[in-house]
Amino acid sequence: MNAHQERVNLIFEKIDTLGLMEKVMKLGNDKILEYIKESGLKGRGGAGFPTYLKWKLAADQKSDMKYVICNADEGEPGTFKDRKILEEQADKVFTGMAICAKVIGAPEGYVYLRGEYNYLVPLLTTKMNTFNEEMQKLGLNFTLYLRSGSGAYICGEETALIESMEGYRGEARNKPPYPVEKGYLGKPTVINNVETLVYCAMIVLNEGGKFKTFGTEISAGSKVFSVSGDADVEGIYELELGMTIQEFVDLFGDGDTKAVQVGGASGFCVPRKKFKETIIGFEGVPTGGSMMLFNSTRSMYHILMNYMEFMQEESCGQCTPCRVGCQQLVKGIQAIKHKKRPASYLDDLVKLAKTMRVASKCGLGQSVANPFISIVENFREEIIY
Amino acid sequence: MIYVTIDGTPVSVPENTTILDAAKLLGVHIPTLCHHEDLCVAGNCRVCMVEVKGSRTLQASCATPVSDGMEIYTNSRLVRTARKHVIELLLSEHRGDCLRCYRNGNCELQALANEYRIDQGIFIDLHKEDQVDISSPAIQKDDSKCIRCQRCVRACTELQSVGALCVAHKGADMRITTFWDKALAYVVCTNCGQCVTHCPTGALTERNYVEDVWDAIYDPTKHVVVQTAPAIRVSIGEEVGMEPGQRVTKKLVTALRRLGFNSVLDTDFTADLTIVEEGNELLHRLTKAIRDKEDVALPMITSCSPGWIKYIEHEFSNHLDHLSTCKSPQQMFGPLAKTYYAEKIGVDPKDMVVVSIMPCTAKKFEAARPEMMASGLRDVDYVLTTRELGLMIRQAGIDFTKLEDGDYDSILGTSTGAGAIFGATGGVMEAALRTAYELVTGREIPFENLNVKPVRGLAGVKEATLKIEGTLEKYKFLEGVELRVAIGHGLANARKIMKQLERGESPYHFIEIMACPGGCVGGGGQPIPTTDEIRMKRANAIYDEDEKMQYRKSHENPEIIAVYENFLKEPLGHKSHELLHTTYVKREKN
C-alpha cells in the first residue's frame, strides 16, 4: 500500500445515508446542482459527460414523467468494481439516485443490473424496499425498482439499455434525441453509472468541497479502478485521476509490464515507452475503470484477437461499420498472421478502424478503433509475425 | 425556420427536417439504403452519413434533424472514404453473384456499388451460403443476399403490424429471421409481400413461376388462359421503362397475346361478379339483421385480399364470420374458366391452364389453398406478379411502348369501371355502393358522376355514411337507414379496425380491407420502388380508367348478365355457392 491508494476513500466510506437524505430534503435543487457543478464530476462510465449538465438538462425538461436509471450493466472486460460497490454500498447508490430524482423531479428510478450479477437481486431487493420506505417517510415522491439485463454488452450503452428496459432488442438508438429529452418510455431520463451516483452522494454530503481536491483541472476527483492481469496486487482501488501510467505501474506492476490496457476492450493500449507521458484521465486515456497489465510473456496478437473477437460477438449488429467492420478486423489480422494477406493490409485495416470510429452508430462501434489502433501501431511486429 | 449550410450553400428549412430532406431541397443527392419513406427512421446502414462541423463523428443524414447554424458537408474526403468503406463492407457480407440474381438491374446495393465504382473489394469475403427458404408458395428468402438493413422487418412490423420477420442474434451472427427460426410457411406471415417491395436487394423475392408459365405456353396440348388484375394495367408500364401511372390496358392485352396465351381475359370481369355476389350478400345480411332481427355478423368485411384473409385467420380468428363468403375475383375466375368458359370454347378443363397476373404475392398462396378446387381441378394454376410479367415481356423481346392496341377476348373479358377501381383502396367499397344503392332504390348513387370521393385517397382508415332514401318495395325496411362504411388499407390499419370490432364498438355495416398500403396499386407484387407518390399516380390512373369506361356499374356488365342467365342463374344461388363462395380456417397466432 502507498500514498496514492490511501488518500482517497469516498466510494467505500461508511456514511449515514438516511441522514444525508434528510439534509438533501432541506437543500434547494439549485444548491445541489451547484455542488455537483463545482465538483467538476464527469460521468464515470467512460464517456465523461459533465454530470451537472446532464442533471440540469433533465431538470429543465417539462414533462409529466421523468426517470432516473442507474446503469449497473458493468460489462467491460476487466471491470468488477460496480459489483463490489453494489455489494457493499447499495444504499449510497440509491441515495445518489434519490438526490438526482429530487433535482430533476423524477418519481421513479430503476437499477438496471447486469444479468451476470443476478445473485445480487435478493440483497438489492431487500435494501431497495427499506430505502423506498425511508424515502416515503421523508416525503420524497420516489420509488426504486430493479431490472435485470440479459447479458448483452451493448446494453451498457444508455440507449440500448433503454430499449432493453422497454422490452425490445438491445440496439442503440439514434441521437438526438438524447435520453435527457426522450429516454425511457419517451420521457426525460437521466442515466448514470453506479460509481457516478455514489460520487454524487458524497459530493452533496461534503458540500462539493472534498472531491475537487483530488485529481486535476480537467479530470477532477477520484475513481475506482479494477486492476487485473499481470499485477502483484490485483483488485479494486480508488485512486486519484491524473496519475501517469508509469506511476500506476509502479504501484501495481511486477516490473516486467510491457503494456497496460486502459478501459477494457473498448479502451486504449499504452506501451511501456509511453508510460511516463500518458495520464490516466480525460487529458490522456479516459477509462471506465478497467486496468489490465501485460508483461513480456504475453502475445499482443492474442490479446488483440481476444478483444476483437469479443467486439465481433457483442456488436448488436444493426449498423454496418460495427457489424461488418469487427468481422473484417478479426479476419484481417488472422489473414495477415497466416500470410494470406500482405503486411501492408494492416494499413487498410487501420483505415477501416478509423472509419468505424466516425461512422458507427454508437459508442461500441466507435470505440473498437481504440484497442485496434493502439495495439497495432505499438506492436506491429507482434501482429504480423 | 432553421438556417443551415450544406456544402457551403445556405438553406432554411422547418424545424425537425432531417439533413437528408434539407439536402434534397438544394438538389443535393445523398445516397441511402436502409432509408425508405414508407418506414420509420433506422439510421443503421450508415450509407447516408455526412460531416457536421464540430461533431466528433459523422451523422446519418436520414436520422439527424438539422439544428440552427449547422454546417453540413455531404461530400468531404472523410465522408467519401467512410461511405466507400461502408459500401465495401456491405458487399463483403453479401453474396455477390449479381448476374444470377432475380433483382439484377433493380438492386439498390448494386446501384450504390456502381455509383461509387467499387471495382475491386479490398475486404475479405464474409458471405455465408444459406439455404434459401422456399417453404412458402409466395415468398422466397435468401439470407446470403441480406444486408440487414431491416427494411423488411420495419415493413412487416410497423407498416403491416404482422411481425413475422424479426432481428435475431448479435454481432456477426445477427440476421433477419422468424419466430423460433421457423420457415416462412409456418409463421404468421400473410404473404403480403411488403417485405419484398421494401427489400433493396434480392434477399426477399416472390416465388418466381415464370418458367412454369413458359412451359405451359410452349406445350401445344395446353390451352393457356390468362387473367389480369385491375391494378396491373396501371403498373406494368413501369416494368417496361415507362413512368408510373400510365394506363396501358390495350397494350397489355396485345403483349399477352404475343407472349402466346391462348385466351386473354380479365379479372375485372370477376371483380364485377364479386360485386354482384357480395352486394347481394350484404343486403341479405342487412335484411336478416334489420328486418328479421336475426343475429348475423355485421359489419360484413370484404374478402378480396388474400393477405388480409390470412391475417384475420391468424390474428382475429374468432371473427371469421364477419368476412364475406365471396371468393376473391381471382378465385371466382378460376372455376368459371374451367367450367363455364371451357365448355363454351370446347376445351377439356384438364387441358386448360389458368394463369393470373396479380399485383400481389399473397395471390400465389391463395391459389394454392386446398379449398380452391371448385372446378374439380386446381382453379388457378399459376400466379405471376406484375414484376414477373414484366420479366416475360422483356424476355420475349417485346417493345411494349410500340405495341398496337388489343381487346380482351369475350365471355370472361368484358368489364366495367367498377371492376377497374378494385385496384385502389376504397375501390371495392365504391363499386359495391354503386350496385347496392341501385338495387335498393332503383336509382344511381347520389354522388357526382358516380364518384364516391369520401372513400378514395390514402388516409389510413376512411369512413363514409350514406343515407338510404326512396327505397324500392322489397327494401322498405332500409328506408332512412344510414349505411356506415369504413375502409382500411395496410394491415396496421386493419388491426385498428379489428380491435374496435373486438371491443364491440364497430359502428359500421360494411368494411373494406386491403392488406397492402394503397390497396392493390401498392401490392407486394408491384414494381419496385413503390412509394406514396407512386401509389397515388397508379390510383389516379385507375380512376381515370373507370371514367373512360362504357359501363361503370358491375350489374350493368352485359357478360355478367349473360353469365347469370346462362349459367349461374341467380346471385347467392346454388351454383354460386359451389363455385364462388368459400370458407375460412383458424390459424395459430405464432
Side-chain angles (χ1 to χ4, degrees):
Chain A
M1 292 295 153
N2 60 55
H4 274 295
Q5 284 161 273
E6 283 165 6
R7 273 184 64 190
V8 189
N9 185 23
L10 294 172
I11 288 283
F12 296 101
E13 184 188 335
K14 297 265 182 292
I15 63 163
D16 170 15
T17 52
L18 191 58
L20 172 56
M21 277 315 293
E22 279 165 3
K23 177 180 166 180
V24 165
M25 292 303 286
K26 290 180 199 127
L27 280 175
N29 291 340
D30 288 347
K31 193 73 198 166
I32 299 173
L33 277 173
E34 203 181 301
Y35 288 153
I36 310 270
K37 186 180 183 184
E38 274 177 11
S39 75
L41 175 65
K42 290 177 183 171
R44 282 336 193 208
F49 191 77
T51 305
Y52 143 79
L53 195 55
K54 192 183 268 188
W55 287 20
K56 176 87 171 70
L57 288 168
D60 288 346
Q61 294 285 322
K62 301 258 177 293
S63 175
D64 56 341
M65 192 66 199
K66 294 181 188 179
Y67 299 97
V68 181
I69 295 173
C70 168
N71 184 347
D73 191 72
E74 180 177 43
E76 193 61 60
T79 82
F80 36 89
K81 62 181 177 63
D82 288 352
R83 182 174 64 181
K84 192 166 180 202
I85 297 172
L86 287 166
E87 276 174 1
E88 295 184 10
Q89 300 293 338
D91 282 349
K92 264 159 89 178
V93 180
F94 299 162
T95 304
M97 293 177 77
I99 296 170
C100 177
K102 178 178 184 295
V103 170
I104 69 166
E108 284 182 24
Y110 291 85
V111 174
Y112 184 92
L113 185 70
R114 180 182 186 190
E116 288 85 344
Y117 293 173
N118 271 345
Y119 72 95
L120 284 171
V121 168
L123 172 82
L124 292 178
T125 309
T126 311
K127 289 193 173 233
M128 207 171 254
N129 290 340
T130 314
F131 187 83
N132 282 338
E133 281 167 29
E134 282 168 354
M135 289 307 107
Q136 248 184 350
K137 279 184 210 148
L138 280 180
L140 181 66
N141 174 27
F142 180 62
T143 314
L144 270 175
Y145 301 91
L146 188 64
R147 285 288 184 89
S148 271
S150 304
Y153 175 72
I154 182 64
C155 290
E157 198 279 338
E158 57 181 5
T159 60
L161 185 155
I162 291 171
E163 288 280 300
S164 162
M165 274 185 56
E166 291 180 4
Y168 300 108
R169 177 187 154 76
E171 283 188 351
R173 292 178 179 175
N174 292 298
K175 293 194 270 191
Y178 294 90
V180 288
E181 302 160 63
K182 282 199 172 108
Y184 181 50
L185 303 176
K187 303 294 182 184
T189 304
V190 163
I191 304 184
N192 284 139
N193 93 328
V194 172
E195 196 184 337
T196 312
L197 289 163
V198 177
Y199 277 127
C200 287
M202 293 309 289
I203 286 162
V204 176
L205 180 74
N206 298 320
E207 300 181 354
K210 198 171 171 187
F211 185 81
K212 215 185 171 176
T213 62
F214 302 124
T216 66
E217 188 65 32
I218 296 168
S219 306
S222 50
K223 89 166 269 47
V224 188
F225 292 88
S226 314
V227 181
S228 65
D230 298 316
D232 289 342
V233 281
E234 71 276 0
I236 291 163
Y237 300 93
E238 188 172 9
L239 306 168
E240 278 189 71
L241 286 174
M243 64 165 61
T244 63
I245 299 276
Q246 185 62 58
E247 287 172 294
F248 181 86
V249 169
D250 289 345
L251 289 174
F252 299 102
D254 62 359
D256 186 25
T257 309
K258 78 167 172 186
V260 180
Q261 180 73 18
V262 182
S266 63
F268 297 85
C269 181
V270 183
R272 189 175 191 96
K273 62 178 185 250
K274 292 181 184 162
F275 283 177
K276 285 203 173 88
E277 63 188 73
T278 308
I279 293 169
I280 304 168
F282 299 107
E283 56 268 77
V285 278
T287 169
S290 166
M291 302 293 281
M292 277 185 257
L293 287 80
F294 303 118
N295 68 22
S296 62
T297 64
R298 306 290 165 185
S299 151
M300 294 312 287
Y301 171 81
H302 286 128
I303 289 164
L304 179 61
M305 275 301 284
N306 187 300
Y307 289 149
M308 290 303 114
E309 282 174 349
F310 176 80
M311 290 304 206
Q312 172 186 262
E313 186 162 324
E314 292 297 345
S315 162
C316 81
Q318 70 163 317
C319 86
T320 314
C322 180
R323 179 188 69 247
V324 198
C326 286
Q327 296 178 64
Q328 288 294 349
L329 295 182
V330 169
K331 290 270 189 331
I333 47 178
Q334 276 174 336
I336 294 166
K337 197 71 167 177
H338 298 134
K339 309 292 176 236
K340 301 253 170 60
R341 293 259 168 158
S344 63
Y345 189 55
L346 211 47
D347 301 326
D348 291 323
L349 295 180
V350 168
K351 281 182 199 152
L352 170 63
K354 284 179 177 165
T355 286
M356 291 167 71
R357 177 177 278 160
V358 293
S360 296
K361 188 168 181 172
C362 81
L364 194 165
Q366 289 160 14
S367 67
V368 175
N370 300 340
F372 188 83
I373 295 175
S374 58
I375 293 177
V376 161
E377 286 187 344
N378 291 308
F379 300 95
R380 196 179 165 94
E381 289 72 24
E382 279 192 56
I383 305 304
I384 297 171
Y385 303 106
Chain B
M1 295 297 270
I2 307 277
Y3 296 87
V4 299
T5 63
I6 298 177
D7 300 333
T9 310
V11 60
S12 63
V13 292
E15 218 169 322
N16 292 325
T17 305
T18 62
I19 294 175
L20 182 68
D21 288 335
K24 259 183 213 154
L25 289 177
L26 283 180
V28 174
H29 166 71
I30 300 175
T32 58
L33 199 52
C34 71
H35 179 74
H36 193 289
E37 63 180 66
D38 282 350
L39 308 173
C40 69
V41 165
N44 55 24
C45 76
R46 315 309 281 180
V47 163
C48 73
M49 62 199 157
V50 296
E51 198 172 341
V52 174
K53 195 176 172 189
S55 180
R56 189 174 50 85
T57 55
L58 300 173
Q59 305 296 312
S61 61
C62 71
T64 311
V66 292
S67 60
D68 224 11
M70 216 180 221
E71 281 181 46
I72 300 153
Y73 299 92
T74 70
N75 197 33
S76 64
R77 176 175 284 274
L78 184 64
V79 169
R80 277 187 63 82
T81 306
R83 206 174 273 162
K84 259 188 124 152
H85 266 142
V86 163
I87 297 167
E88 292 205 38
L89 289 175
L90 285 168
L91 289 169
S92 77
E93 223 186 16
H94 174 83
R95 180 151 68 92
D97 61 346
C98 298
L99 298 181
R100 290 194 184 83
C101 182
Y102 185 43
R103 286 289 295 273
N104 186 10
N106 183 20
C107 167
E108 291 179 44
L109 182 62
Q110 192 181 44
L112 262 177
N114 185 32
E115 207 170 299
Y116 280 78
R117 284 287 179 256
I118 311 287
D119 42 13
Q120 55 188 68
I122 60 165
F123 295 129
I124 293 165
D125 184 10
L126 296 172
H127 94 266
K128 300 183 185 97
E129 281 301 338
D130 282 286
Q131 285 239 300
V132 183
D133 179 356
I134 52 164
S135 63
S136 157
I139 290 164
Q140 180 167 321
K141 180 166 172 282
D142 181 353
D143 280 358
S144 70
K145 292 177 186 168
C146 174
I147 56 167
R148 291 136 174 92
C149 67
Q150 301 189 36
R151 265 160 57 164
C152 57
V153 177
R154 283 176 283 149
C156 194
T157 308
E158 182 200 356
L159 204 60
Q160 297 294 68
S161 95
V162 172
L165 294 172
C166 62
V167 181
H169 310 291
K170 55 187 166 60
D173 298 326
M174 180 271 209
R175 60 196 190 88
I176 312 303
T177 182
T178 56
F179 180 67
W180 271 23
D181 217 10
K182 290 183 190 173
L184 273 179
Y186 306 104
V187 296
V188 290
C189 174
T190 66
N191 305 303
C192 73
Q194 288 302 315
C195 57
V196 173
T197 55
H198 288 86
C199 178
T201 70
L204 283 155
T205 60
E206 66 266 51
R207 285 289 303 282
N208 183 317
Y209 297 99
V210 165
E211 286 309 318
D212 303 81
V213 172
W214 279 127
D215 284 347
I217 287 172
Y218 289 137
D219 185 341
T221 67
K222 297 293 181 195
H223 184 94
V224 188
V225 173
V226 66
Q227 57 162 326
T228 62
I232 303 303
R233 62 211 73 205
V234 295
S235 62
I236 186 65
E238 290 163 58
E239 280 296 314
V240 290
M242 298 166 77
E243 282 297 301
Q246 306 286 308
R247 293 200 293 125
V248 291
T249 315
K250 286 177 180 286
K251 288 188 191 306
L252 168 68
V253 171
T254 305
L256 291 166
R257 216 161 259 138
R258 286 260 206 107
L259 287 176
F261 289 104
N262 303 102
S263 297
V264 180
L265 301 173
D266 199 355
T267 318
D268 283 19
F269 166 80
T270 34
D272 283 332
L273 188 60
T274 301
I275 287 303
V276 173
E277 288 289 327
E278 200 164 282
N280 276 288
E281 187 187 359
L282 177 64
L283 289 174
H284 180 72
R285 290 199 196 196
L286 289 174
T287 307
K288 292 235 170 188
I290 295 172
R291 192 192 68 190
D292 306 340
K293 312 282 182 225
E294 277 181 35
D295 193 19
V296 292
L298 280 176
M300 186 175 93
I301 311 178
T302 59
S303 53
C304 304
S305 164
W308 152 240
I309 294 300
K310 187 140 185 280
Y311 183 73
I312 186 176
E313 287 178 332
H314 280 297
E315 296 283 328
F316 298 95
S317 57
N318 290 332
H319 301 284
L320 294 177
D321 55 345
H322 286 272
L323 288 174
S324 161
T325 61
C326 288
K327 286 181 183 170
S328 72
Q330 163 174 287
Q331 292 306 138
M332 286 197 178
F333 185 96
L336 272 190
K338 289 196 177 177
T339 55
Y340 178 62
Y341 185 73
E343 195 188 314
K344 286 270 180 197
I345 61 168
V347 169
D348 185 340
K350 287 194 185 65
D351 296 328
M352 184 178 270
V353 176
V354 173
V355 177
S356 52
I357 314 295
M358 292 285 144
C360 180
T361 47
K363 288 282 172 196
K364 293 172 187 274
F365 173 83
E366 185 186 42
R369 288 177 72 117
E371 60 271 27
M372 296 300 177
M373 296 186 56
S375 61
L377 301 158
R378 178 165 154 154
D379 294 330
V380 174
D381 296 283
Y382 299 109
V383 178
L384 303 182
T385 60
T386 319
R387 298 186 291 265
E388 287 169 273
L389 176 63
L391 181 64
M392 287 184 77
I393 292 171
R394 294 194 299 273
Q395 286 178 342
I398 294 170
D399 185 349
F400 192 85
T401 52
K402 294 213 179 87
L403 288 177
E404 67 279 16
D405 288 350
D407 289 311
Y408 284 103
D409 292 324
S410 67
I411 307 182
L412 306 182
T414 302
S415 65
T416 70
I421 57 176
F422 265 57
T425 164
V428 176
M429 179 59 68
E430 183 167 346
L433 289 178
R434 285 180 194 172
T435 287
Y437 192 88
E438 205 162 309
L439 283 177
V440 171
T441 65
R443 285 174 288 112
E444 280 193 349
I445 196 163
F447 282 91
E448 193 188 335
N449 197 20
L450 293 174
N451 296 331
V452 188
K453 291 272 171 70
V455 303
R456 298 185 180 182
L458 289 181
V461 177
K462 293 169 281 184
E463 295 179 303
T465 304
L466 180 63
K467 191 161 187 180
I468 301 174
E469 284 169 318
T471 49
L472 296 172
E473 190 55 37
K474 190 182 169 196
Y475 292 107
K476 262 283 179 274
F477 64 94
L478 284 175
E479 185 64 39
V481 166
E482 289 202 329
L483 191 70
R484 286 185 299 274
V485 302
I487 294 114
H489 60 114
L491 291 171
N493 292 315
R495 178 177 290 271
K496 287 181 202 159
I497 288 172
M498 289 309 291
K499 283 282 175 196
Q500 185 187 32
L501 188 148
E502 209 169 44
R503 292 193 303 268
E505 293 167 6
S506 185
Y508 310 112
H509 296 104
F510 189 33
I511 297 172
E512 174 201 307
I513 293 180
M514 291 291 157
C516 292
C520 302
V521 292
Q526 291 283 42
I528 299 170
T530 294
T531 61
D532 265 352
E533 190 191 341
I534 293 172
R535 288 183 187 98
M536 271 319 292
K537 283 183 180 166
R538 293 178 194 156
N540 289 337
I542 286 231
Y543 290 121
D544 206 29
E545 183 97 347
D546 168 36
E547 297 237 24
K548 303 256 171 10
M549 296 290 271
Q550 185 186 356
Y551 302 105
R552 297 185 60 209
K553 292 174 282 189
S554 298
H555 56 278
E556 287 181 353
N557 182 334
E559 282 188 2
I560 291 287
I561 295 169
V563 81
Y564 277 109
E565 273 176 8
N566 301 332
F567 187 65
L568 294 170
K569 304 307 173 198
E570 56 172 346
L572 308 182
H574 179 67
K575 202 96 185 165
S576 296
H577 181 76
E578 268 182 7
L579 297 181
L580 310 179
H581 290 256
T582 188
T583 54
Y584 307 101
V585 294
K586 287 191 178 199
R587 293 177 197 274
E588 284 179 26
K589 259 193 161 182
N590 52 45

